Amino acid sequence: MDGLGPPSAALAAVLPDPASKGVLDKVRVLDMSRLVAGNMLSLQLADFGADVIKVESPKAGDTLRHWKEALEHGGGLDAWWRTYARNKRSLAIELRDAGARSALRTLLESAHVLIESFRPGTLEAMGFSPEDLHMLNPRLVIVRISGWGQTGPYKNLPGFGSLVEGFSGYAHKHMAPEGVPQLPNMALADMIAGLTGAFATLAALREVEVNGGAGQVVDLSLLEPMLAVMGTDVSVYAATGEKKDPARKIASPRNAYRCKDGRWVALSGSTDVMARRVMEAIGRPELADDPRFSTNEARLENDAELDGMIADAVKEMSQDECLALFRRKGVTLGPVYDAPQLLADQHVVRRQCYIALDSDDGAVVMHNVTPRLSRTPGAIRRPAPGLGQHTGELLREAGVDEAEIQAMRARGAIR
């Protein structure tokens, strides 16, 4: 990777394929959300063929448009928007304008899904309460994203992902050695909520399309999907009254270890068989029969000693030497990568985990469509839209006449 500017020449260059059809073809989604969770949710649907319409403010658009990475020679790379808004169309419409709201209502009559992330009660104040929407379109699935949910004492509190990552126990569970809670350096709660929301949306659509049921509201908080992936700490406390030490591992041996070339490897020996292989790889096969290390429970009690022996062995090897040895012994150990190493890895390149999506604005490297379906795979049909790029097109599809479109544009109700 040294000397190669992004996108890497090793990555597959992909052009959008407007003619491709996905398994969700003909599913229409109106996405009124902002930032990460809603865009992650609608991305999953869009990648598999849904017609996702981003409903945005004509003045500034989705806030995600403005999350840019500073470039060395000036300017900013809007990689967030170009990745998580791919396969979508943009409708820039001023919802404070009565005519614009009427046009949106017309679009909602034929929609299958509405996604919103306003503070609870805002949708109702705009005249789009779930009750009104279901009178307009009884089959509509309404996904309501918020920090804390549509009910409960905290429903009106600000609900950014960082607050949820602290509240959920994540930051405490990932305490730094000096005792400082650690927030993830990524939009973790939003991403997990987006993936959870995509599943919930498809479940609600199945109720309508397969079971003949009616539309419903999906109450998607950022909090509860985080709680679902946090493991059993709360269960253990409820049963025993004991809080787990944040530094205590779930299995031993398990850690990241520094090699002599400064690179790192990650190891997980969570079964007794695997732990035995680790001990053989570091030249200490007799440890497998030592009562202090023969079971996971015993290893956890004596983890510091075992961890130190592994660290001492690994630091004598380069990363390549370590990988070769431990893989030869059948140990579940792998490299710890940064971005350049990840993009250069032969497995990532061969499977096209990342692609360079080309467009009129140039190529941007982004993750490929995931997961992989054998018969009806997803595809990238269009790059992320410009603000209001499809407004006229969508309003004409909704039956709005040209004179009204021009009138709305003249008064700033659309872009």
Side-chain angles (χ1 to χ4, degrees):
M1 284 292 295
D2 291 345
L4 287 178
S8 168
L11 297 182
V14 173
L15 289 171
D17 180 11
S20 65
K21 302 289 184 184
V23 69
L24 298 180
D25 184 42
K26 297 184 174 62
V27 172
R28 172 165 282 190
V29 179
L30 267 64
D31 182 0
M32 299 171 68
S33 70
R34 298 292 181 268
L35 288 175
V36 181
N39 275 303
M40 182 62 165
L41 193 169
S42 59
L43 175 69
Q44 309 312 307
L45 308 179
D47 278 357
F48 287 94
D51 179 19
V52 173
I53 300 165
K54 283 295 304 181
V55 182
E56 305 183 74
S57 161
K59 295 180 180 178
D62 191 322
T63 312
L64 199 64
R65 289 182 179 275
H66 308 289
W67 280 20
K68 296 184 179 182
E69 302 291 339
L71 298 176
E72 183 178 349
H73 302 295
L77 177 64
D78 55 346
W80 279 93
W81 178 252
R82 293 173 69 176
T83 297
Y84 294 99
R86 70 189 186 199
N87 282 333
K88 303 175 186 180
R89 296 196 281 174
S90 172
L91 173 68
I93 191 165
E94 178 54 73
L95 294 177
R96 288 174 291 190
D97 182 274
R101 287 197 304 273
S102 177
L104 180 61
R105 193 175 293 274
T106 301
L107 282 168
L108 283 165
E109 290 179 2
S110 61
H112 300 87
V113 179
L114 171 66
I115 303 169
E116 63 98 355
S117 62
F118 301 114
R119 188 171 292 190
T122 302
L123 196 66
E124 288 82 352
M126 294 166 54
F128 293 105
S129 71
E131 293 76 17
D132 290 340
L133 290 173
H134 282 143
M135 288 182 64
L136 179 72
N137 181 351
R139 293 163 60 88
L140 184 66
V141 173
I142 305 169
V143 184
R144 311 195 69 175
I145 304 171
S146 63
W148 313 102
Q150 299 297 314
T151 62
Y154 299 158
K155 68 178 184 179
N156 291 317
L157 292 179
F160 281 23
S162 297
L163 305 185
V164 167
E165 287 148 8
F167 188 101
S168 66
Y170 177 92
H172 181 266
K173 191 177 182 72
H174 296 83
M175 195 86 69
E178 60 272 20
V180 179
Q182 297 295 295
L183 293 172
N185 191 21
M186 58 176 290
L188 182 63
D190 289 81
M191 293 298 190
I192 292 173
L195 293 172
T196 303
F199 162 75
T201 301
L202 294 178
L205 282 174
R206 190 180 195 280
E207 166 65 9
V208 172
E209 297 174 351
V210 177
N211 298 338
Q216 59 186 298
V217 173
V218 176
D219 182 356
L220 178 65
S221 73
L222 301 189
L223 173 63
E224 285 146 326
M226 276 295 291
L227 298 180
V229 301
M230 281 298 297
T232 61
D233 288 9
V234 170
S235 299
V236 170
Y237 172 74
T240 66
E242 297 180 2
K243 292 197 302 181
K244 291 178 67 174
D245 180 353
R248 185 176 172 88
K249 302 175 184 177
I250 58 175
S252 176
R254 182 176 184 266
N255 210 343
Y257 302 95
R258 187 182 179 92
C259 303
K260 72 177 181 181
D261 56 7
R263 295 186 173 187
W264 293 75
V265 291
L267 180 149
S268 177
S270 54
T271 68
D272 292 344
V273 170
M274 192 58 63
R276 180 181 290 271
R277 293 176 185 173
V278 171
M279 296 165 194
E280 291 174 354
I282 66 172
R284 299 295 302 275
E286 74 282 1
L287 295 177
D289 297 320
D290 187 321
R292 296 173 298 162
F293 308 113
S294 59
T295 67
N296 188 57
E297 291 76 13
R299 289 191 295 274
L300 284 170
E301 293 300 322
N302 298 279
D303 180 69
E305 185 177 356
L306 180 58
D307 195 63
M309 287 187 279
I310 297 170
D312 287 342
V314 169
K315 71 182 183 183
E316 299 301 321
M317 297 177 275
S318 70
Q319 186 188 63
D320 287 343
E321 291 169 341
C322 188
L323 290 171
L325 171 64
F326 279 78
R327 285 173 176 172
R328 189 166 64 249
K329 296 290 187 179
V331 174
T332 45
L333 176 141
V336 174
Y337 278 161
D338 58 15
Q341 293 166 330
L342 185 61
L343 285 179
D345 185 89
Q346 61 177 342
H347 184 81
V348 172
V349 172
R350 294 272 184 90
R351 278 185 63 86
Q352 296 185 8
C353 299
Y354 288 92
I355 51 92
L357 181 64
D358 206 357
S359 71
D360 294 340
D361 296 324
V364 168
V365 172
M366 60 184 67
H367 72 276
N368 208 342
V369 175
T370 185
R372 299 168 187 245
L373 275 63
S374 63
R375 194 172 63 82
T376 55
I380 299 179
R381 303 184 308 284
R382 55 170 60 94
L387 179 57
Q389 180 178 338
H390 305 96
T391 299
E393 171 185 309
L394 287 163
L395 293 179
R396 293 182 194 99
E397 288 179 14
V400 180
D401 64 56
E402 196 65 33
E404 177 58 20
I405 292 174
Q406 294 306 322
M408 283 196 286
R409 183 167 283 121
R411 65 177 183 265
I414 61 173
R415 175 170 172 170

